[in-house]
Amino acid sequence: MEKKKFDWKAITSSREMSLVIVLIILCVFVQIRNQSFLTAGTMEEMFRNYAVTFILALGMMCVLLTGGIDISIGSTLAFSGMAAALIMRDHMIATPLSFLISIVIGAGLGLIVGLVIAKGKVPPIVCTLGFMNIYRGLTYLIANSQWVAAYQFTDSFKNFALTKYLGLGLVNNMIAVTIYIYIVFYIVMKWTTVGRRVYAVGSNAEAATVSGININNVKIGVYTLMGLLCGLGGALWTSLYKSAQGDMATGIEMDVIAACVVGGVSLTGGRGSVVGVMLGSLTIAIIGKALPLIGVSQFWQNGIKGLIILVAVILNVLAQRTMDRNNLKRREM
Amino acid sequence: MAAKSGRTIIAEQDFSWKTFFLKWEWLLVILFIGINIMNASLSQYYLSGEGLLNATNSFLEKAFVALPMAYILVLGDIDISVGSTACLSAVMLAYCYNLGVPMGVCVIICLLTGTICGMINGLILTKFTELAPMIVTLGTQILFRGIAEAMLGDEARGGLSTVKWFSDLYWGKIGIVPIMLFCFIICAVVFGFVLHKTCFGRRLYAIGANKLAAEYAGIKVQQIRMIVFTLTGTFSAVTAIFLAARMGSTRADIATGYEMEAIAMAVLGGFSTDGGKGNYPGLILAIFIVGMLRYGLGLINIPSQLMLVVIGALLIVTVMLPNIRSMVKFKKKAA
């Protein structure tokens, strides 16, 4: 009896649960103002449009777990998406091949970032700041500052974001891909040595070295993974919007980092979970989708978004403090 | 004293030409000279006094943010809200001016806005010390930009250039020296002096090197962080004033990306994002390197996209170079 009571308390006081409560309140509030919010159609549209944010947030979580940060993801996404789109324009390749090309290019770009950070010992924020500029510039250069427009894509590529064959006929392809990746990440991060190593490097790098983990390899790995997901994101993005532009996904890094932090990933490394990241991304998606629905002018959206991020992280700290204080009290007794 | 304790304390290292020339700043000096030679060979008008001064005017307004940003990096913190703060301050200025407030008051309002923005950052960061500065300033970055957007929408507020003395802040000259350059030199000297020659400056380095140790040594860490973040807000507003004076109007999307440029300048100048490192001469050199490089590439009509690549590469390579040198040295020793 006593044990069960304790468990209940642990669940209600966890970070994830507090976020879920906030989300439910948010949803109910929006639903009262606009009945069309919690309908299948709106929800599907929301998840489809924010699929890329959801996916990138996972990669960003891994990077943040090692104590790094990656602000070049928008540019990596643009470059790989643009490169794949250009190849498709000129050679009319099959859809899976174009996805593969985008992913490989993204992974390559991520590998370069990882190498510079791990081997060149450049601080992550500085390195990715540089690559943010470099990759963005290169995106414009390879495309000659032009767009790849809808008519230049093959039909099957354009239909990818509209059909459901990957989702077994139940959900849209974009959403299906997101779900699969979340399942894989959940398993890998929780139950495999690879996942535990990422946590180990972030929580105590020295201890990790002593226990035989090659920190550099882990770092290179997470940035490559980040790049790989960006590559996938690039392909999804071009397929969704049916065009590839030089300035696509500008500023998405801030959304993604915000999603991670709201979801309880610590910027100093070692703390964060896949479930938290999912909830964090959901928060960002709901804010983005719900504000126009309840008639908030688009010019107010950024202000409200910023405010919500600040309130979320501050509430998080306050919750953590109460938790620590309670723990201390329990120990005193 | 030294003999009494049985130890000799060497206050100054032996002077050696080798260590003197292997300093970071020499790399910057070489870069600076190289870029100037490149610019001079590209345009015959470049190496005249007036040409050089005009070149500086093309980038100096951003440099005002880089000055306090260096302080923030010394502390081991980061502030990515400066671009939005500058934007909001400029929008406030134009908004009030269009309401009929006299320009002098508008400028004060602009400075106040920046200061308050900086103070908000500082307050959150010092009240909730668990929070990383990156995420707080990310939040305020979106928030401040959002407020500016809410105020203006997608309109522009202009007419600022009708006030002669205001537009003179950017366009005016004392003799042949632009007023802005004049202001910049004064600010840079004061900032440099405070960082290198005062107690306050030493405290900044102490906090950056080891926050906990600094706290135990009796330094009011949070108070100093508060001051520095507020100062950064104020100087973002200074940037906003020059920017508004230059353009004569404001929109809600001005000064985007200034935070990254300021950080890039400071890092190139030798300030580490881990804190406790860097000095002002390096920063000033870096500001002029980035600015002159941009100006020079603009002279030969290099597309702005390629400019992004060049500046990004410059940032990474210069930060990586000393590490590669020490890596090679280490390998030699091991062999």
Side-chain angles (χ1 to χ4, degrees):
Chain A
M1 194 65 192
E2 185 64 32
K3 179 114 174 74
K4 198 162 189 184
K5 207 175 169 188
F6 176 67
D7 274 347
W8 174 239
K9 214 173 176 184
I11 291 170
T12 47
S13 61
S14 77
R15 279 160 180 275
E16 278 86 9
M17 205 56 206
S18 58
L19 199 53
V20 168
I21 294 168
V22 172
L23 276 181
I24 291 173
I25 295 171
L26 198 67
C27 285
V28 169
F29 176 73
V30 175
Q31 179 69 8
I32 292 169
R33 296 286 299 271
N34 188 332
Q35 302 294 327
S36 69
F37 179 60
L38 285 178
T39 54
T42 316
M43 282 292 127
E44 188 184 346
E45 198 190 320
M46 180 184 90
F47 281 112
R48 204 175 60 206
N49 288 345
Y50 281 89
V52 176
T53 310
F54 269 86
I55 292 173
L56 293 187
L58 279 179
M60 185 62 83
M61 179 189 80
C62 294
V63 171
L64 293 177
L65 280 179
T66 63
I69 196 163
D70 191 344
I71 55 172
S72 69
I73 56 172
S75 306
T76 310
L77 186 150
F79 184 88
S80 44
M82 178 60 88
L86 287 174
I87 293 172
M88 171 161 271
R89 182 188 68 185
D90 298 338
H91 302 289
M92 282 297 158
I93 50 173
T95 305
L97 185 61
S98 105
F99 267 79
L100 191 68
I101 289 173
S102 184
I103 289 172
V104 169
I105 291 174
L109 298 181
L111 180 65
I112 298 172
V113 175
L115 281 175
V116 170
I117 289 172
K119 300 281 182 192
K121 304 267 178 277
V122 180
I125 177 112
V126 176
C127 172
T128 52
L129 171 63
F131 276 112
M132 178 170 85
N133 285 333
I134 294 176
Y135 291 160
R136 182 66 66 183
L138 287 178
T139 308
Y140 284 108
L141 289 178
I142 56 166
N144 242 336
S145 297
Q146 285 170 333
W147 291 17
V148 181
Y151 70 91
Q152 288 160 321
F153 290 108
T154 61
D155 283 338
S156 80
F157 187 75
K158 276 185 283 190
N159 284 334
F160 180 84
L162 298 174
T163 46
K164 301 182 171 179
Y165 55 85
L166 278 181
L168 308 173
L170 290 172
V171 286
N172 183 283
N173 282 342
M174 304 275 291
I175 304 171
V177 171
T178 315
I179 293 173
Y180 296 148
I181 291 178
Y182 265 83
I183 293 173
V184 170
F185 264 80
Y186 187 78
I187 294 169
V188 170
M189 295 311 287
K190 200 147 192 160
W191 288 308
T192 67
T193 42
V194 179
R196 301 322 292 179
R197 270 184 198 158
V198 176
Y199 279 98
V201 169
S203 36
N204 191 336
E206 264 174 55
T209 322
V210 173
S211 61
I213 297 172
N214 188 333
I215 294 185
N216 276 353
N217 283 355
V218 173
K219 279 189 180 164
I220 295 171
V222 292
Y223 286 101
T224 313
L225 180 68
M226 183 78 246
L228 188 146
L229 293 177
C230 288
L232 176 65
L236 291 175
W237 188 284
T238 42
S239 159
L240 179 66
Y241 295 106
K242 299 179 187 61
S243 70
Q245 303 164 15
D247 65 346
M248 61 182 170
T250 317
I252 198 175
E253 58 272 4
M254 294 308 167
D255 262 9
V256 171
I257 294 172
C260 284
V261 172
V262 170
V265 182
S266 153
L267 280 169
T268 45
R271 243 192 219 174
S273 69
V274 174
V275 178
V277 166
M278 191 191 75
L279 293 172
S281 314
L282 199 59
T283 316
I284 298 292
I286 289 179
I287 295 170
K289 183 74 201 165
L291 290 183
L293 277 183
I294 56 172
V296 175
S297 144
Q298 55 160 328
F299 299 118
W300 280 97
Q301 283 178 28
N302 269 334
I304 292 173
K305 200 158 103 189
L307 204 60
I308 289 180
I309 292 172
L310 282 178
V311 170
V313 290
I314 289 176
L315 280 182
N316 222 331
V317 168
L318 290 179
Q320 188 72 38
R321 279 186 189 173
T322 335
M323 241 190 285
D324 289 349
R325 211 174 303 137
N326 286 346
N327 284 344
L328 210 63
K329 247 183 217 160
R330 209 175 298 145
R331 222 175 294 158
E332 271 170 6
M333 302 218 294
Chain B
M1 279 283 271
K4 221 178 201 176
S5 66
R7 256 186 273 172
T8 46
I9 300 159
I10 302 169
E12 276 178 35
Q13 280 185 334
D14 287 338
F15 183 83
S16 106
W17 284 106
K18 203 178 163 193
T19 51
F20 180 68
F21 276 109
L22 279 178
K23 267 187 173 173
W24 174 262
E25 287 75 35
W26 284 108
L27 187 69
L28 295 177
V29 169
I30 292 167
L31 259 175
F32 182 68
I33 294 171
I35 285 166
N36 274 308
I37 291 174
M38 185 191 85
N39 284 355
S41 64
L42 292 174
S43 159
Q44 60 204 32
Y45 305 109
Y46 179 75
L47 270 186
S48 63
E50 209 157 329
L52 279 173
L53 292 174
N54 283 340
T56 59
N57 237 23
S58 68
F59 59 85
L60 265 189
E61 86 260 8
K62 289 171 200 165
F64 282 96
V65 195
L67 298 176
M69 184 61 86
Y71 278 16
I72 289 201
L73 291 186
V74 167
L75 282 176
D77 287 329
I78 202 161
D79 186 347
I80 57 169
S81 71
V82 289
S84 299
T85 307
C87 170
L88 181 58
S89 313
V91 165
M92 271 309 240
L93 184 143
Y95 196 82
C96 291
Y97 180 71
N98 283 11
L99 288 180
V101 181
M103 192 47 112
V105 183
C106 288
V107 169
I108 294 170
I109 290 175
C110 173
L111 287 172
L112 268 179
T113 312
T115 312
I116 291 170
C117 288
M119 236 181 215
I120 293 173
N121 278 332
L123 263 180
I124 298 177
L125 281 168
T126 49
K127 292 294 165 206
F128 305 97
T129 46
E130 298 97 323
L131 287 173
M134 175 87 193
I135 190 60
V136 171
T137 53
L138 168 66
T140 51
Q141 178 196 42
I142 302 173
L143 177 66
F144 296 157
R145 175 84 56 189
I147 296 173
E149 280 170 0
M151 284 172 69
L152 287 196
D154 51 4
E155 298 166 36
R157 287 289 158 93
L160 302 176
S161 48
T162 50
V163 183
K164 178 79 173 63
W165 68 265
F166 184 68
S167 62
D168 270 354
L169 284 178
Y170 182 84
W171 301 104
K173 285 175 184 178
I174 303 173
I176 57 161
V177 183
I179 292 176
M180 189 169 61
L181 181 63
F182 205 68
C183 295
F184 179 75
I185 291 172
I186 293 173
C187 291
V189 168
V190 171
F191 266 88
F193 180 80
V194 169
L195 185 62
H196 291 301
K197 298 289 173 203
T198 65
C199 238
F200 185 77
R202 298 315 298 170
R203 282 181 190 148
L204 291 183
Y205 279 107
I207 295 171
N210 191 334
K211 210 170 258 177
L212 207 59
E215 191 130 32
Y216 286 141
I219 297 173
K220 287 173 182 155
V221 175
Q222 299 312 331
Q223 194 187 339
I224 286 179
R225 284 178 80 205
M226 180 80 200
I227 293 171
V228 172
F229 272 96
T230 311
L231 195 68
T232 310
T234 314
F235 271 79
S236 307
V238 172
T239 295
I241 291 173
F242 285 113
L243 197 63
R246 174 189 200 170
M247 303 199 297
S249 71
T250 51
R251 289 167 53 89
D253 61 355
I254 59 164
T256 333
Y258 273 27
E259 58 276 359
M260 293 308 166
E261 290 208 28
I263 294 169
M265 283 173 184
V267 168
L268 194 61
F271 287 89
S272 151
T273 46
D274 297 331
K277 258 190 208 160
N279 59 32
Y280 246 71
L283 174 71
I284 307 298
L285 271 174
I287 288 172
F288 279 87
I289 286 173
V290 174
M292 294 291 191
L293 181 65
R294 250 173 206 266
Y295 183 76
L297 293 178
L299 281 181
I300 46 171
N301 278 331
I302 291 256
S304 62
Q305 296 92 359
L306 190 60
M307 223 184 271
L308 283 178
V309 179
V310 173
I311 288 173
L314 180 77
L315 178 67
I316 292 174
V317 171
T318 39
V319 174
M320 209 161 60
L321 267 183
N323 298 335
I324 290 176
R325 211 186 67 207
S326 67
M327 221 155 43
V328 173
K329 229 189 234 168
F330 185 71
K331 271 197 183 142
K332 260 188 201 160
K333 249 181 212 167

